[in-house]
Amino acid sequence: MADLLLVILAFALIAPGQSCQAQEVYINKHWTQSAGRAISSAHALVPQRAMHSTPANMEVYEYDESPLGSREPLLLIHGLLGEYHPLFRWSELAKYLSQDEVFQHRYKIYLARYNSHSSLKDLTEVFNHGLRDLAQTRRLTIVTVSMSGQIVRDAMKDPAVDQSISRVLTMGAFFRGSPLFCSDWMHQTIGKRHRSPFCRIDRLLAYKIYFARHKNLLLDFGWDNADGQMPAFRHSHARADLEVSSNSPP
């Protein structure tokens, strides 16, 4: 909720006088040509069964079928696992913004979908091509959440991508990484917070299983210790519990 309020406040500065009314989103299967590439209507992805596929590249969808005209493209980019959710978790914000006439006069909403399990290096390359393709006729305004903020930042190191973007608003982007994605740190934290060895084993095993399936988070988004606050890993109960959990079947 706090992130949503932040986005609304940011766009209030750009396009004041927004309306809170929402509209029903209808499902259709329309394809259109925009910015030199095929862009699917996001409405075609509302059914949950359409979310089971994993995108091979950066897919771009239009929120509605209105022509871009002289407006600026507003690209909403999801975070971790957003590719498996209808409208990529942007439905409430997109509904809200689309009801404001001033906003509609200035922006057209697009949504990006990508494989958040991929490595940061691969995603940066995918975004390099996707962002440049979408911005062939207009510079982009981009809103990101979570990991997509870092992906866009890295993609903008390419001057061609940087020139394709007018402005970027990031929410919850871990540019320095996150302690959550540092296994030693998390193991020590779990060991301190749970006195019972059974609780420690349970938490450590869950952590191990989850990140075995999301190795890109540990490799690409671990905290870089910029503030020097990362504790040295101690050989404590957490280490012993980790050894027990490592010998347990996943």
Side-chain angles (χ1 to χ4, degrees):
M1 180 59 71
D3 289 343
L4 178 58
L5 292 175
L6 177 62
V7 176
I8 293 173
L9 177 61
F11 280 106
L13 299 176
I14 301 175
Q18 296 174 353
S19 167
C20 292
Q21 297 179 350
Q23 65 179 4
E24 182 178 0
V25 177
Y26 293 94
I27 300 173
N28 59 67
K29 295 184 177 179
H30 174 77
W31 288 78
T32 185
Q33 291 291 329
S34 179
R37 58 175 291 169
I39 298 177
S40 172
S41 168
H43 302 173
L45 289 179
V46 171
Q48 187 63 41
R49 62 180 178 274
M51 296 293 96
H52 295 166
S53 64
T54 299
N57 296 296
M58 174 182 165
E59 302 173 352
V60 178
Y61 298 84
E62 60 175 359
Y63 180 69
D64 59 51
E65 301 172 20
S66 60
L68 176 62
S70 61
R71 294 182 293 172
E72 300 176 37
L74 171 65
L75 183 64
L76 307 180
I77 309 179
H78 65 78
L80 181 64
L81 302 181
E83 65 267 35
Y84 300 113
H85 291 263
L87 290 181
F88 322 124
R89 291 178 171 159
W90 292 109
S91 57
E92 294 301 319
L93 177 62
K95 286 180 184 178
Y96 180 85
L97 295 176
S98 66
Q99 295 305 298
D100 182 74
E101 292 183 3
V102 176
F103 175 89
Q104 283 285 71
H105 180 74
R106 182 167 181 178
Y107 295 100
K108 175 177 172 62
I109 297 175
Y110 294 88
L111 303 102
R113 183 171 184 255
Y114 63 96
N115 179 11
S116 61
H117 287 177
S118 296
S119 69
L120 180 59
K121 179 181 178 181
D122 290 342
L123 287 174
T124 299
E125 183 176 351
V126 166
F127 271 54
N128 278 346
H129 296 291
L131 294 176
R132 282 182 294 177
D133 285 349
L134 184 60
Q136 287 184 11
T137 58
R138 297 284 191 284
R139 297 181 71 189
L140 305 174
T141 295
I142 298 176
V143 178
T144 71
V145 63
S146 187
M147 64 187 295
S148 60
Q150 184 166 345
I151 299 169
V152 171
R153 183 197 65 175
D154 285 7
M156 291 176 68
K157 294 177 182 178
D158 182 334
V161 176
D162 185 54
Q163 291 299 315
S164 300
I165 297 173
S166 174
R167 62 184 68 86
V168 180
L169 174 64
T170 65
M171 299 181 296
F174 23 85
F175 295 128
R176 313 297 307 197
S178 170
L180 178 64
F181 305 141
C182 297
S183 60
D184 281 356
W185 196 341
M186 288 300 298
H187 293 154
Q188 182 169 310
T189 301
I190 291 171
K192 287 183 176 180
R193 291 187 176 180
H194 302 282
R195 295 184 178 182
S196 168
F198 297 103
C199 288
R200 289 198 295 265
I201 292 173
D202 178 67
R203 300 296 190 277
L204 288 167
L205 185 58
Y207 185 90
K208 174 190 173 185
I209 293 174
Y210 182 83
F211 285 102
R213 299 179 60 186
H214 303 87
K215 294 180 180 179
N216 64 310
L217 299 178
L218 296 177
L219 295 174
D220 296 327
F221 302 105
W223 177 240
D224 66 0
N225 202 26
D227 58 359
Q229 296 299 308
M230 182 184 294
F233 186 78
R234 300 190 184 97
H235 291 276
S236 60
H237 293 296
R239 171 64 70 182
D241 293 336
L242 175 59
E243 293 175 353
V244 172
S245 65
S246 296
N247 294 325
S248 302

